């Protein structure tokens, strides 16, 4: 046992011995108390102490906070906490004092019980359904945590603190908001009356060190051949649409694709809440803005896309298209801003085109469907589709090329396709080339970008299976008289 623990135990025994007999708990009565009820009472008392001390610290430090740096505010909070614990009737045992002080500082300066969850690199999402109901996602699996806020007041205070840090507000007139943490993590908050059973806070964490293409290859999201092809496509200024469902890693993959952009180009990023982490030296980041309390001052993504065209961009990257900005994005891709990228929610590459058609119509123009499809076909070159496997893995399941129009239909051709193993379902499969030569190779050759032919070569097993299937189609089935003797037929 450590010396500090021994001293803490001795001090605790001395404190108990010094108490009057009438105040000591009845040992037999304590033993008869159910364990769950005893733990609940202990936790309730701990939270009551924290709430009392936190309120006292805030009342003492708040008048001094204006003009102070974060370090000085932290120092003031620690000093005030020491003084309050000495003079107030808050009894905390020496062995628990360090934990108590740490939690009070987290509640005062940080995000309370969310701080250790946000610091855990294995957690990819934090979901608060109520002040005492917090879930996390690890490796694609959800699990409940024992963490909880002191009460709903502290919970709402943390939400308002996150939202106000990026110039947003959340109240009854604006009960739903998107924001971000200082490290770029995406935040969504919904409060009553929209959230019926209490405020809901969802935090999508991003890695402090952005993922690279090597990381995605190690995760199984990419293959080496796919990364070679994608790098050539980005350097050759092909327009790419990243599609997939919620939580499939569209933003992460868009980050990796943008890492292939050469350093000498001017890049403009446009997002609802800034999440992209581009490493190039010449990046301009624009962020949409919601309306203020009077309902004025709203700046939509569509307005930013229009303004971006006047800022001499080499490439435009839109975090996600959800509405009429799809038309402006297609126009930008068709008017000299090649090599642009964006994401869209969809279940398949074909569904992504259908969603784009719908969003173009949301711009308010009565355009014929054929004209919209011609715009899409001439603007986009590739669709990279992502799926989330039942075991939580996020992988690229298709790299699809837009090859032109046939009548009113856009022709699609899969360059890479995720193939499942027979009998094993989606859990066991691989992303492999289809063996088809893409049309964009001619465009890449014009700008001096070459792609090794072996990158498009299908695996040997696929070739053998296709050859055997062809043999089966051409084989003649012999008559039964050629296989058995007449006696056995009878």
């Amino acid at each position: 046992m450590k010396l500090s623990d021994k001293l803490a135990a001795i001090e605790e025994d001395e404190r108990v011995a010094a108490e009057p007999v009438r105040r000591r708990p009845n040992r037999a009565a304590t033993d008869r108390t159910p364990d769950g009820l005893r733990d609940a009472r202990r936790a309730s008392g701990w939270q009551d102490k924290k709430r009392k001390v936190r309120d006292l610290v805030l009342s003492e430090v708040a008048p001094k906070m204006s003009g102070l740096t974060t370090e000085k505010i932290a120092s003031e909070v620690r000093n005030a906490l020491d003084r309050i614990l000495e003079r107030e009737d808050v009894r905390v045992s020496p062995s628990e004092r360090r934990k108590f002080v740490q939690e009070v500082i987290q509640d005062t300066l940080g995000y309370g019980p969310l701080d250790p969850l946000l610091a855990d690199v294995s957690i990819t999402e934090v979901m608060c359904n109520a002040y005492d109901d917090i879930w996390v996602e690890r490796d694609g699996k959800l699990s409940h945590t024992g963490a909880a806020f002191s009460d709903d007041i502290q919970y709402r205070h943390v939400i308002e603190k996150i939202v106000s840090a990026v110039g947003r507000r959340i109240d009854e007139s604006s009960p739903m908001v998107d924001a971000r943490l200082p490290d770029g993590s995406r935040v969504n908050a919904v409060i009553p009356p929209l959230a019926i059973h209490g405020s809901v806070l969802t935090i999508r964490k991003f890695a402090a060190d952005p993922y690279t293409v090597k990381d995605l290859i190690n995760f199984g999201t990419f293959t080496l051949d796919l990364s070679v092809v994608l790098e050539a496509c980005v350097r050759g200024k092909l327009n790419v649409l990243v599609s997939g469902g919620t939580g499939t890693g569209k933003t992460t993959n868009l980050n990796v694709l943008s890492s292939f952009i050469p350093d000498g180009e001017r890049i403009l990023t446009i997002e609802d809440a800034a999440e992209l982490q581009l490493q190039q030296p010449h990046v301009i980041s624009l962020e949409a803005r919601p309306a203020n309390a009077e309902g004025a001052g709203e700046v939509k993504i569509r307005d930013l896309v229009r303004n971006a065209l006047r800022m001499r961009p080499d490439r435009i990257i839109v975090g996600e298209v959800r509405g009429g900005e799809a038309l402006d994005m297609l126009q930008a891709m068709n008017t000299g801003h090649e090599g642009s990228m964006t994401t869209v929610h969809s279940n398949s590459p074909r569904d992504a085109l259908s969603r784009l058609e719908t969003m173009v119509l949301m711009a308010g123009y009565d355009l014929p469907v054929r004209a919209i499809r011609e715009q899409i076909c001439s603007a986009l070159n590739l669709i990279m589709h992502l799926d989330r496997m039942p075991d939580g893995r996020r992988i690229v399941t298709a790299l699809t090329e837009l090859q032109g129009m046939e009548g009113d239909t856009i022709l699609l051709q899969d360059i890479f396709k995720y193939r499942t193993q027979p009998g094993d379902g989606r859990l066991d499969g691989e992303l492999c080339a289809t063996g088809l030569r893409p049309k964009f190779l001619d465009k890449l050759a014009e700008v001096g970008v070459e792609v090794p032919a072996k990158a498009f070569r299908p695996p040997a097993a696929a070739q053998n299976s296709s050859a055997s299937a062809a043999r089966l189609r051409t084989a003649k089935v012999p008559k039964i008289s050629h296989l058995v003797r007449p006696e056995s037929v009878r």
Side-chain angles (χ1 to χ4, degrees):
M1 181 182 292
K2 295 182 180 179
L3 179 60
S4 58
D5 295 335
K6 290 182 180 179
L7 293 175
I10 293 173
E11 290 178 4
E12 182 69 13
D13 293 338
E14 291 176 351
R15 184 184 65 79
V16 173
E19 288 183 1
V21 175
R22 69 177 186 276
R23 292 181 58 189
R24 296 182 190 176
N26 187 333
R27 179 70 63 182
T30 303
D31 292 341
R32 289 195 299 268
T33 304
D35 292 340
L37 181 59
R38 191 181 306 124
D39 293 341
R41 289 175 179 174
R42 188 182 299 113
S44 177
W46 181 270
Q47 296 295 342
D48 290 340
K49 291 177 183 178
K50 281 204 312 179
R51 189 182 302 111
K52 178 180 179 181
V53 172
R54 187 180 73 247
D55 293 342
L56 291 171
V57 169
L58 288 175
S59 63
E60 184 173 329
V61 175
K64 310 175 186 178
M65 289 180 63
S66 59
L68 295 180
T69 62
T70 305
E71 292 77 10
K72 290 184 179 180
I73 292 175
S75 178
E76 288 287 340
V77 168
R78 289 189 179 90
N79 295 334
L81 185 57
D82 290 337
R83 293 193 296 268
I84 289 169
L85 288 177
E86 289 177 0
R87 72 172 188 261
E88 295 294 330
D89 186 21
V90 179
R91 295 187 175 181
V92 181
S93 65
S95 59
E96 294 179 334
R97 180 182 174 91
R98 176 176 295 180
K99 179 184 176 184
F100 183 84
V101 170
Q102 181 181 2
E103 290 188 6
V104 172
I105 290 177
Q106 287 177 353
D107 294 347
T108 307
L109 296 177
Y111 305 124
L114 299 182
D115 282 346
L117 303 179
L118 295 174
D120 190 342
V121 295
S122 67
I123 294 175
T124 55
E125 193 127 17
V126 179
M127 294 149 282
C128 304
N129 301 332
Y131 77 91
D132 58 350
D133 186 19
I134 302 177
W135 295 70
V136 296
E137 180 193 57
R138 284 189 180 91
D139 299 325
K141 302 292 183 180
L142 299 183
S143 60
H144 190 270
T145 68
F149 292 90
S150 299
D151 49 32
D152 198 57
I153 297 175
Q154 186 201 5
Y155 182 33
R156 283 291 297 273
H157 173 72
V158 169
I159 293 176
E160 292 170 359
K161 183 176 182 180
I162 294 173
V163 169
S164 61
V166 291
R168 309 269 171 117
R169 64 187 181 89
I170 186 166
D171 49 38
E172 289 188 359
S173 62
S174 179
M176 183 170 57
V177 68
D178 289 319
R180 68 179 186 278
L181 296 179
D183 64 355
S185 298
R186 178 195 308 166
V187 178
N188 176 267
V190 185
I191 64 173
L194 297 187
I196 299 174
H197 300 295
S199 303
V200 179
L201 178 68
T202 309
I203 302 175
R204 171 75 57 80
K205 289 177 57 182
F206 293 105
D209 186 17
Y211 288 136
T212 64
V213 65
K214 292 181 180 179
D215 296 323
L216 295 190
I217 292 174
N218 291 332
F219 298 156
T221 303
F222 278 13
T223 62
L224 185 58
D225 288 340
L226 177 68
S227 63
V228 171
V229 173
L230 287 176
E231 181 175 4
C233 292
V234 173
R235 290 186 175 275
K237 290 194 172 184
L238 300 186
N239 295 321
V240 182
L241 176 68
V242 181
S243 67
T246 301
T248 54
K250 296 186 298 297
T251 303
T252 300
N253 280 268
L254 191 61
N255 256 330
V256 171
L257 288 180
S258 64
S259 67
F260 298 140
I261 300 175
D263 290 343
E265 298 187 16
R266 179 177 170 90
I267 309 168
L268 262 71
T269 66
I270 300 172
E271 302 171 86
D272 266 331
E275 302 168 5
L276 294 172
Q277 300 170 302
L278 274 65
Q279 307 301 313
Q280 284 80 359
H282 200 164
V283 178
I284 309 298
S285 300
L286 304 179
E287 186 178 56
R289 186 180 70 181
N292 58 20
E294 291 77 26
E298 181 181 14
V299 180
K300 299 180 180 180
I301 285 187
R302 186 173 187 188
D303 302 323
L304 295 177
V305 173
R306 288 176 177 173
N307 188 77
L309 301 178
R310 307 183 184 98
M311 298 176 67
R312 201 268 176 207
D314 288 311
R315 300 182 192 239
I316 299 175
I317 300 178
V318 179
E320 182 181 347
V321 289
R322 300 187 181 93
E325 64 270 10
L327 176 59
D328 300 290
M329 187 68 193
L330 294 176
Q331 295 282 2
M333 291 177 174
N334 275 322
T335 54
H337 301 91
E338 297 177 331
S340 299
M341 292 175 272
T342 187
T343 71
V344 66
H345 278 83
S346 72
N347 295 327
S348 68
R350 178 65 69 179
D351 288 344
L353 299 181
S354 300
R355 283 217 65 210
L356 279 180
E357 292 178 22
T358 304
M359 288 186 287
V360 168
L361 292 173
M362 291 169 64
Y365 301 106
D366 189 15
L367 298 174
V369 174
R370 182 176 177 84
I372 296 174
R373 292 179 179 175
E374 287 177 349
Q375 283 283 329
I376 294 174
C377 190
S378 61
L380 292 176
N381 301 110
L382 284 173
I383 300 175
M384 185 174 77
H385 186 74
L386 295 125
D387 274 318
R388 185 172 175 176
M389 297 293 108
D391 60 355
R393 291 180 299 129
R394 299 166 172 88
I395 61 174
V396 176
T397 54
L399 182 67
T400 305
E401 181 188 25
L402 283 75
Q403 290 202 314
M405 297 277 294
E406 184 174 307
D408 290 339
T409 304
I410 299 177
L411 297 179
L412 300 180
Q413 175 178 277
D414 290 330
I415 308 303
F416 285 83
K417 188 71 175 176
Y418 185 81
R419 289 196 171 97
T420 56
Q421 301 295 335
D424 292 331
R426 290 169 62 85
L427 283 176
D428 192 8
E430 62 175 346
L431 178 70
C432 54
T434 59
L436 302 175
R437 183 184 186 277
K439 294 178 65 175
F440 61 71
L441 288 181
D442 297 332
K443 184 176 181 180
L444 295 182
E446 292 176 1
V447 295
V449 177
E450 295 184 3
V451 186
K454 64 179 182 179
F456 301 104
R457 192 173 301 155
Q463 290 178 343
N464 293 337
S465 62
S466 60
S468 60
R471 284 196 298 270
L472 286 175
R473 286 194 298 269
T474 58
K476 294 182 179 180
V477 180
K479 296 180 180 180
I480 191 170
S481 59
H482 297 163
L483 299 176
V484 297
R485 291 181 296 177
E487 292 81 8
S488 60
V489 175
R490 291 196 299 267

